Each structure stands twice: as C-alpha cells, then as structure tokens.
Amino acid sequence: MKKHEWFRIRRYPHIGYPITIKNKKKVSSYIKNSSHISKHSFSPFIHKQIFSRKLRKVYDSFGNVKFDGERRQLKPKIRDIYYASHLDANIYSYYSSLLMKEYEKLLKDKGLDKVVTAYRRIPFNTHRNKCNIDFANDVFNYIRENADRELVAIAVDVTGFFDNLDHQILKKSWCKVLNVSTLPNDHYNVFKSITKFSYIEELHLFNLFQNQIITEAKSGLINKKHIKSLKYMKSQGAIAFCEKDDIHRIRAKGIIRQHKYDKNNELKGYGICQGSPISATLANIYMLGFDEVVNKKVLCLNGLYQRYSDDVVIICERKHKSYMIDFLEDSIEKISKLEIQPSKTQVFQFDYDGGRLVCLQEFKGSINQNSINRNFEYLGFSFDGEYTYLKASSLASYYRKMKAGVRRRGYFKTRIRNKSRGEMFKRQLYKQYSYIGSNRSKKYQRVSGTTNEWRQTSSYNWGNFITYAKLASKTLHKNKIDSQIKNHWKNLNTEINKY
C-alpha cells in the first residue's frame, strides 16, 4: 500500500470546513493514532436519496409481453446515500485500507480471489485494474469454453443488501479478518459509528443554514451567503453548510436522526449506511463465510461462482440447477441472515442450434416459445451465446441523457444574457456525448489575464459513455458493441439540428 493512498481531499459540503492539502500531514497523523480513534466522536452523516428511472417492457411470469410491448414507467429504484464529514471519511478510508489488506490475504488463502469481484483493486495490466467488463468477459468465456456440458447460468439478487447486514455477523467477520477474538478499541469505535450511526437529511440542513452557506470563490476568498436552492450549491462554490461549532444549533433543532432505532423505537441489530468509504469493504467481509461455502460447493460440481456485490451468478450443468438454487437460498439465510428475491432469480440455458451456441431463458422452470432471443444479462452486458452486446437499458439511458443535454442547451441558448445569445455551444455537447470527448486527458485552464495562454491542471477529463463502450469493445471477446454505437454521431447531430 502506497503511503497516504487512502487519504483524499474531498470537496462536497458538510458540517465544518473541508480538509486542505496544508493540514494533510496533521490529519493523517491523528487518524493513524489508534488511541485518538478509540475516543473519536464521529459527526452525523448527511443523507440523501438517489432515484433511478426505470422505463421497461413488462412481461408476465411466462415471458409474454404485456401492454402490446409498450414501455412502462416502473417504480424507480431508490438508493439511500449517506456521506460522512471530511475527517470521518478519511478515518473510514484508512480503516478500510487496513481491512482490505488482510481481507485480500484471506481471499488468496481460501481460493476466493477470483470469486469476489466488486470493490477491489485487481490489476489487469500496467495501465488499469480489472472492472466489470473483465469480470463479465470471464463468465461469458467460461460458458463458451464449456458449452458442450449443457450449462445453465443462475443469476440471483440479494434483497436489501446493505440495509439488512446483521451486526453480530459483521463483527465476527471483522474479527476474523483481523485474526482477533475481540475488536481493538479503535476498530470497535469505527464499527459502532457505522452500525449505530446518526444522520441529518440534506434538505433539512440546507434549510437551517440557507442564508449563511460557506462558499469559496475562484480567487480563494471564503464568504457566507444566501443560496436560493440546494441544486445551486455546487455552482455557487459551496464548501460547507456551516461551521463545526454549529453542531449545537443543529442538535437544538432536533433534526439529527438515529439509525439504531426502528419505527417502534426498538434497537436495530442490522443495517449499515451505504456511501461511506468503508461500507463496500464491510459488505465484502460480511459475505466471507457465504462465499467460502458456496464456492466450495460449486467447485465440487465443476462449475463457476462469481459475486459482484449483491449480484450472484453460478454457472453449472443443467442437472444441478434445482439443487444449486435451493442451496443458494438456504445458505444465504443460514450463514448471512439475508434473503434472495425469488422474483428476480433468472435461469438461462445454453444449447447448440445449427452449430451455433444459443441462449434460452427459462420461465416457470422450463423453456417455452418466449425463451428464444432472451439474452443472459450480467454486469451491464447482454450475451446471446455467441456475441456480447451492451445492455439495451444502458444504451437507452445514454441516449436519454444525450437528448436531455441537447434540450437543456437549446432552452438556454435563447435566454442567456450576453454576446453568445442564440449560440448552441456544440463543442461541449460533442465532448460529453460523442467520440470527440472519449479520450482521457489532462484538463487545462486559461491563465488569468490572458486570452490564449493555458496551463495544465492536476485534474483529468475521464471521458464519457463512448469511452466505456470502446473499452468494452476492445476487451470483450466476440462482441457487437461497435455496431451498437456507430450511429451515435448522427443521432447527436440530429438532436442538435432540432434547435
């Protein structure tokens, strides 16, 4: 582990001023002192919800399309995100790095280093680490290479993953990773802060300090000012909702909530917050016992087991299908006290048809007339037995965002109050949504007081959706991704020409 690899300067507004590079050494020294962390008083998290739109065709349990194939607006996916104060976030990040170091050793010792794929840094080559593209490629290639064995892919989803992690199981797993019988005082304090945490609704905090939000101008000048709406926080340069001493005012208003109590005001023994730097690591550690048992069983059946967070996939011979589904449901309940969503469990068969490997989805445990042309979807990709594609919903989401971005610029081009009124600013659109912005590069900033002098910054343009699609096209064996995105330039210009 590189020195200070866990340390990050975060810029989102919270309670108190953000950490700067000037006090990095002092903060790092504090965090590494276990006696300090044993007594550290963690600040409340700030909570917000992220809504993901779902527009899908609707099918019944036999795979028959409903509503004449018309896409319907489904119940949106809601994610509860909690983000910690800047100091607390670095504490979580440091203890996450300590746990991951020991966890990686355990995975290697137990032969699980290729089983658990999420939230880990697994080197791929000298330029990057493995990502979901590589993990999906491994699964699809395994199916291709073992196609003569009448394989099935069993994909299951864990119900309310982060919200239902049992605290006692988590503590035992934490001890197991550290190879101790009881948690050291500093680790125990971190454990309490992430399981019995307090939080404040982001909107409530904003409303309380709306007239004196702490902002920083580009010149570096710190000021307190009124901000009209929460959505303008970033554009107005907000760096904090309030000062750290204002926590007393927050408490007096009674807007701090306690996660450790349920609706009946009884102590909860389950659930951790999603969004902190340590949450993903703890989720992996929690599933250690389950991963070990399931992987051992799957290997005995000469199959493949892979888990990416709460997405579990097993590739095995068709004759073992029912046994493995029952084994999964039974094991996750007994070992992890979690449940699998039966309605989301999908099974795909792979058979040869005319010398070509095809994918057939099971409905109600068998193949019917709707099973053809139903691809196995995993980690954002779709596999038909021979070729791999971008998931249709991912491509649709990209085009929705493209249209919304063009529509927004078309709206503002006639309302802007300067010399550029009526101008579309197509260069930025091309950078956001086309191959032109797909190359990752260093950002440049105009030197103050000049018109054509630029300096290189430490920030990067990380690319766009086309960057991701091109990487997938280069990585995935036998894919049709280039044909899926070949019209993106024409489609983007078609949208622009409307305005």
Side-chain angles (χ1 to χ4, degrees), residues 128-322:
R128 69 177 180 88
N129 294 321
K130 278 192 170 186
C131 64
N132 65 307
I133 299 172
D134 306 291
F135 304 136
N137 193 43
D138 291 342
V139 171
F140 300 151
N141 281 341
Y142 181 88
I143 295 171
R144 291 188 182 105
E145 293 164 5
N146 296 273
D148 58 334
R149 293 169 46 206
E150 293 189 333
L151 296 178
V152 293
I154 304 168
V156 303
D157 189 68
V158 182
T159 305
F161 191 42
F162 285 89
D163 295 334
N164 291 292
L165 301 187
D166 184 90
H167 294 166
Q168 291 304 312
I169 296 175
L170 177 60
K171 188 193 281 188
K172 288 178 182 177
S173 300
W174 200 320
C175 289
K176 187 174 182 178
V177 169
L178 296 179
N179 195 24
V180 295
S181 57
T182 56
L183 289 179
N185 290 336
D186 54 330
H187 282 264
Y188 183 62
N189 196 27
V190 175
F191 167 77
K192 286 194 301 180
S193 72
I194 210 75
T195 55
K196 308 292 184 183
F197 61 91
S198 59
Y199 64 94
I200 309 167
E201 295 295 340
E202 185 180 45
L203 184 60
H204 294 171
L205 190 61
F206 173 77
N207 290 338
L208 183 58
F209 295 100
Q210 182 177 5
N211 294 320
Q212 45 187 341
I213 299 292
I214 302 172
T215 62
E216 181 179 14
K218 290 183 178 180
S219 62
L221 181 66
I222 305 293
N223 194 17
K224 291 184 179 181
K225 67 179 183 181
H226 170 85
I227 294 181
K228 184 178 179 180
S229 173
L230 187 59
K231 65 182 179 181
Y232 299 129
M233 288 281 282
K234 185 176 181 180
S235 62
Q236 293 295 313
I239 59 172
F241 286 96
C242 58
E243 297 186 20
K244 194 170 183 179
D245 289 342
D246 288 322
I247 189 68
H248 304 295
R249 182 178 169 189
I250 296 170
R251 287 199 181 99
K253 284 290 181 179
I255 59 175
I256 299 179
R257 299 180 178 179
Q258 301 293 331
H259 173 266
K260 61 183 179 181
Y261 298 110
D262 61 17
K263 292 180 180 179
N264 298 320
N265 206 30
E266 296 179 356
L267 284 173
K268 290 173 69 174
Y270 56 89
I272 65 171
C273 61
Q274 186 175 358
S276 78
I278 201 174
S279 298
T281 300
L282 296 183
N284 269 346
I285 288 171
Y286 183 90
M287 297 295 285
L288 187 59
F290 174 78
D291 291 332
E292 189 175 1
V293 168
V294 174
N295 187 58
K296 185 177 179 180
K297 179 62 67 177
V298 172
L299 289 178
C300 288
L301 301 178
N302 197 21
L304 175 73
Y305 165 56
Q306 195 177 98
R307 181 179 64 81
Y308 191 96
S309 187
D310 57 350
D311 289 326
V312 175
V313 66
I314 289 177
I315 314 296
C316 65
E317 293 176 17
R318 198 175 305 164
K319 61 185 179 183
H320 303 307
K321 177 194 70 175
S322 297

Side-chain angles (χ1 to χ4, degrees), residues 87-143:
L87 175 59
D88 292 352
N90 273 304
I91 292 173
Y92 291 133
S93 185
Y94 175 65
Y95 278 82
S96 175
S97 70
L98 295 180
L99 287 170
M100 278 302 295
K101 189 176 180 181
E102 300 304 318
Y103 177 65
E104 290 289 348
K105 293 177 184 176
L106 267 179
L107 289 182
K108 193 170 183 180
D109 291 343
K110 295 179 180 296
L112 298 171
D113 48 323
K114 293 183 179 179
V115 168
V116 183
T117 55
Y119 315 129
R120 295 174 57 213
R121 291 185 179 181
I122 306 172
F124 179 74
N125 53 34
T126 55
H127 302 293
R128 69 177 180 88
N129 294 321
K130 278 192 170 186
C131 64
N132 65 307
I133 299 172
D134 306 291
F135 304 136
N137 193 43
D138 291 342
V139 171
F140 300 151
N141 281 341
Y142 181 88
I143 295 171

Side-chain angles (χ1 to χ4, degrees), residues 240-476:
F241 286 96
C242 58
E243 297 186 20
K244 194 170 183 179
D245 289 342
D246 288 322
I247 189 68
H248 304 295
R249 182 178 169 189
I250 296 170
R251 287 199 181 99
K253 284 290 181 179
I255 59 175
I256 299 179
R257 299 180 178 179
Q258 301 293 331
H259 173 266
K260 61 183 179 181
Y261 298 110
D262 61 17
K263 292 180 180 179
N264 298 320
N265 206 30
E266 296 179 356
L267 284 173
K268 290 173 69 174
Y270 56 89
I272 65 171
C273 61
Q274 186 175 358
S276 78
I278 201 174
S279 298
T281 300
L282 296 183
N284 269 346
I285 288 171
Y286 183 90
M287 297 295 285
L288 187 59
F290 174 78
D291 291 332
E292 189 175 1
V293 168
V294 174
N295 187 58
K296 185 177 179 180
K297 179 62 67 177
V298 172
L299 289 178
C300 288
L301 301 178
N302 197 21
L304 175 73
Y305 165 56
Q306 195 177 98
R307 181 179 64 81
Y308 191 96
S309 187
D310 57 350
D311 289 326
V312 175
V313 66
I314 289 177
I315 314 296
C316 65
E317 293 176 17
R318 198 175 305 164
K319 61 185 179 183
H320 303 307
K321 177 194 70 175
S322 297
Y323 172 77
M324 278 311 309
I325 292 175
D326 292 339
F327 182 80
L328 272 175
E329 292 177 352
D330 186 57
S331 297
I332 202 164
E333 185 176 348
K334 285 183 178 178
I335 300 171
S336 305
K337 290 188 179 180
L338 296 172
E339 293 180 355
I340 285 171
Q341 300 185 51
S343 62
K344 289 192 175 182
T345 297
Q346 294 181 312
V347 179
F348 299 86
Q349 295 185 12
F350 296 92
D351 282 315
Y352 278 106
D353 182 14
R356 179 182 182 274
L357 186 66
V358 296
C359 175
L360 303 168
Q361 184 176 357
E362 289 188 6
F363 295 101
K364 293 285 187 176
S366 60
I367 299 298
N368 64 23
Q369 73 276 9
N370 298 313
S371 297
I372 59 174
N373 300 321
R374 300 301 294 271
N375 297 348
F376 169 40
E377 294 184 345
Y378 183 56
L379 300 184
F381 299 98
S382 174
F383 180 58
D384 67 1
E386 184 174 6
Y387 294 105
T388 308
Y389 306 83
L390 288 170
K391 195 174 173 180
S393 58
S394 300
L395 200 60
S397 176
Y398 158 68
Y399 278 119
R400 277 200 305 271
K401 289 176 182 177
M402 173 197 287
K403 290 179 180 180
V406 174
R407 186 167 59 246
R408 184 168 58 251
R409 291 182 184 278
Y411 172 83
F412 282 111
K413 80 171 189 176
T414 58
R415 289 163 176 79
I416 196 167
R417 298 175 182 176
N418 56 30
K419 293 180 181 179
S420 63
R421 184 181 178 91
E423 189 176 343
M424 189 66 171
F425 294 113
K426 291 189 287 186
R427 179 179 175 183
Q428 190 63 30
L429 288 171
Y430 291 146
K431 189 175 178 181
Q432 278 184 277
Y433 303 110
S434 81
Y435 71 91
I436 289 176
S438 65
N439 293 324
R440 293 177 176 174
S441 58
K442 282 270 191 176
K443 284 185 179 180
Y444 285 80
Q445 188 178 56
R446 182 181 281 113
V447 176
S448 181
T450 67
T451 56
N452 58 0
E453 189 176 344
W454 299 76
R455 65 176 179 84
Q456 193 179 74
T457 69
S458 59
S459 301
Y460 280 87
N461 286 314
W462 291 107
N464 52 29
F465 180 80
I466 302 301
T467 311
Y468 172 75
K470 286 167 66 177
L471 177 61
S473 179
K474 291 178 182 177
T475 305
L476 293 163

